[in-house]
Amino acid sequence: MATQRAPENVVGRDELIATIWRLLKRYSVVFTAERRIGKTTVMRKMQAEAPAGIIVRYLDLEKVDSPLRFVEVMLGEVRELLPTTERAKDGFKSLMAAVGGTELGGVVKLPECGKKGWQPALEKTIACICGNHSESTLLFLFDELPYMLQKIMVRERDQGSNENAALAILDSLRAMRLEHGNLRMVYTGSIGLHHVIDSLRGDEYASQPTNEMETVEIGPLAPADAQDLAKRLLAEEKIRCSSVEDVAAALVALTDRVPFYIERLVTHLYEESTVTPETVRQRVARHLTDDNDPWEMEHFRTRIRIYYPGNLDLGDRRVLTRAEIVMTVLDVVATREAAQSIDEVHAAVKASWPVEDRNVVIGLLRKLSQDHYLICDDQKRYSFRFPLIRKWWVLARGLAR
Ligand SMILES: Nc1ncnc2c1ncn2[C@@H]1O[C@H](COP(=O)(O)OP(=O)(O)O)[C@@H](O)[C@H]1O
Ligand SMILES: [Mg+2]
């Protein structure tokens, strides 16, 4: 995780956060966004500025790899929300006794309780807190939730267990949201939740663990906010510029207004004697072609094999990996000037591979859009969502002419 900026140093996002609070009045929410776009920053700002009547708990789940640990982390976060009235002074103790847990110095430990034994502990805790704060809304911000689910799944697989605890956690959280009118959650993380749910669910399990939640897309900063951030960072880092406005404008234009890239670029500009918009352009070109990959762009290529597993049977014992077709689709969209229709992409894919079934291409385009590689217009024509990633893809695949 990147170092977080203090909430007062966060630029923009006020309108987005106002929209999220509005939605949270009635719904729980899933944030979808590309990595590094600023999801954690938005959550931290929400926590710092929560309106009266909303109790917010932020949980970073990146290191959690078992359902038991998840419940322990939850319990540790919420313990002071349990009843403290004279009558129920030992609310936490009695809850611990009920679930067989112990607490030392604020760290909660639950016994290894086997299959689904963690579930009553979680449900009892949440019920107790929701009841104890019936005048307020309790909001959990679950950061890196899909990553946790994936780790739990991998761990289970390694242990030869078929408990499917990750899906049980999702189902359990959903059941609690439905049961308690004053409970809200936000799910987010750098891995697409849809990928994790797909692989958790398998073919026959019909669980829809997020179908009552609203989705909020977190995009790049608004242009004026990106310009503001660029100028602030140039000043903070004492970068000597030909013109601060022009250099900031170049930073904004060349980074697709993603704060992380603006930050990284500005840090490196310190090495230059005087920075001009041209210097910024040269820096971006160098970062995009550097085999040491300072912006970790290779991630956009390597994750394709993980996100798009499996093969396509082409008959005559010929097999093609889905990842191979995905890369061809991206090559086509990256190198064509105009946004591409489904038919145009299908025709181009067929020129390389014998993929007759149009639905294969339709399905992959949809997924690529959910994964923020592509975006489609209202004519269902696809282009790269981020020009910077498109530029990198063209270079990294050797497609530049
Ligand atoms: N609105 C913002 N204003 C200033 N800096 C930001 C903003 N959003 C993100 N950043 C910076 O960009 C980096 C990545 O943001 P982060 O919230 O960690 O992204 P994500 O959680 O989506 O991967 C952080 O170092 C953070 O300081
Ligand atoms: Mg994050």
Side-chain angles (χ1 to χ4, degrees):
M1 198 176 69
T3 326
Q4 291 300 309
R5 290 177 85 76
E8 64 274 16
N9 292 330
V10 171
V11 173
R13 299 304 196 194
D14 295 306
E15 271 178 44
L16 171 75
I17 290 176
T19 305
I20 299 167
W21 287 127
R22 232 182 349 263
L23 280 172
L24 283 168
K25 285 192 178 145
R26 300 186 60 189
Y27 305 100
S28 284
V29 171
V30 180
F31 289 172
T32 70
E34 192 42 76
R35 62 208 280 267
R36 267 84 182 274
I37 207 110
K39 301 175 290 295
T40 302
T41 306
V42 166
M43 283 182 152
R44 290 298 201 178
K45 189 170 159 72
M46 285 175 66
Q47 186 187 30
E49 300 170 354
I54 304 189
I55 302 168
V56 182
R57 286 295 177 273
Y58 169 88
L59 280 88
D60 181 1
L61 302 174
E62 194 181 342
K63 296 200 172 71
V64 177
D65 66 353
S66 75
L68 209 59
R69 184 74 198 118
F70 172 64
V71 179
E72 287 171 350
V73 170
M74 287 273 283
L75 285 171
E77 271 300 318
V78 299
R79 71 159 295 173
E80 86 279 15
L81 298 174
L82 285 156
T84 52
T85 58
E86 201 47 45
R87 192 167 51 79
K89 202 164 57 191
D90 57 352
F92 190 71
K93 270 199 206 130
S94 58
L95 180 79
M96 282 284 116
V99 300
T102 56
E103 187 260 337
L104 199 66
V107 178
V108 175
K109 280 275 157 213
L110 291 174
E112 281 296 334
C113 40
K115 200 173 176 186
K116 307 242 170 107
W118 50 269
Q119 236 165 354
L122 184 62
E123 283 163 13
K124 272 186 195 140
T125 310
I126 297 299
C128 190
I129 295 168
C130 286
N132 192 38
H133 295 273
S134 54
E135 303 299 308
S136 309
T137 298
L138 179 63
L139 170 64
F140 285 106
L141 304 173
F142 290 126
D143 203 356
E144 297 300 351
L145 176 94
Y147 191 60
M148 171 189 85
L149 297 171
Q150 203 175 52
K151 273 168 94 169
I152 293 175
M153 185 169 63
V154 168
R155 192 164 176 253
E156 260 181 16
R157 239 175 240 166
D158 289 349
Q159 293 174 345
S161 149
N162 58 0
E163 188 182 331
N164 215 345
L167 198 57
I169 289 178
L170 283 176
D171 286 342
S172 193
L173 292 175
R174 180 175 184 274
M176 287 187 278
R177 288 195 299 273
L178 295 180
E179 187 172 342
H180 307 290
N182 61 336
L183 177 64
R184 298 286 185 279
M185 297 173 193
V186 173
Y187 289 175
T188 196
S190 38
I191 308 175
L193 186 61
H194 54 285
H195 286 291
V196 178
I197 292 178
D198 279 355
S199 52
L200 286 176
R201 203 161 39 188
D203 287 336
E204 71 278 16
Y205 202 97
S207 171
Q208 295 285 346
T210 59
N211 65 350
E212 36 54 90
M213 298 173 85
E214 280 286 322
T215 300
V216 172
E217 165 89 31
I218 301 190
L221 291 178
D225 295 332
Q227 180 83 7
D228 183 18
L229 176 64
K231 279 164 48 183
R232 278 199 207 189
L233 292 170
L234 288 169
E236 267 173 34
E237 298 286 328
K238 301 190 176 60
I239 308 292
R240 294 164 296 272
C241 299
S242 56
S243 145
V244 173
E245 282 298 331
D246 292 352
V247 168
L251 283 165
V252 170
L254 292 165
T255 56
D256 299 343
R257 311 193 309 270
V258 176
F260 173 79
Y261 296 124
I262 299 177
E263 235 173 39
R264 282 285 176 104
L265 258 178
V266 172
T267 308
H268 284 277
L269 291 176
Y270 193 70
E271 296 152 21
E272 309 278 347
S273 53
T274 307
V275 176
T276 66
E278 184 51 32
T279 330
V280 179
R281 241 183 308 281
Q282 287 166 4
R283 274 278 160 187
V284 172
R286 229 177 301 158
H287 281 308
L288 291 182
T289 49
D290 186 341
D291 281 321
N292 289 318
D293 195 17
W295 286 353
E296 296 168 27
M297 301 299 258
E298 268 303 327
H299 175 81
F300 293 111
R301 174 157 46 194
T302 47
R303 75 180 185 187
I304 288 176
R305 294 202 183 278
I306 302 159
Y307 276 13
Y308 301 85
N311 296 319
L312 216 67
D313 187 354
L314 301 176
D316 295 338
R317 281 194 242 138
R318 281 179 310 167
V319 165
L320 181 63
T321 64
R322 281 172 84 228
E324 206 67 58
I325 312 174
V326 166
M327 294 207 218
T328 306
V329 168
L330 291 176
D331 290 351
V332 171
V333 180
T335 49
R336 302 237 170 130
E337 204 57 52
Q340 296 289 292
S341 69
I342 289 170
D343 279 337
E344 284 168 328
V345 176
H346 185 215
V349 168
K350 274 205 301 189
S352 303
W353 311 106
V355 178
E356 294 305 322
D357 187 355
R358 218 166 148 263
N359 290 318
V360 170
V361 171
I362 293 175
L364 291 179
L365 284 169
R366 195 168 63 87
K367 276 224 146 116
L368 283 165
S369 168
Q370 289 176 333
D371 290 333
H372 305 99
Y373 285 90
L374 303 181
I375 188 164
C376 79
D377 61 19
D378 52 13
Q379 306 288 313
K380 210 74 189 161
R381 286 177 308 214
Y382 288 86
S383 50
F384 263 68
R385 179 171 297 234
F386 296 99
L388 185 72
I389 297 173
R390 176 190 187 177
K391 209 183 278 176
W392 174 80
W393 185 267
V394 168
L395 291 165
R397 294 274 291 169
L399 305 170
R401 307 245 175 272

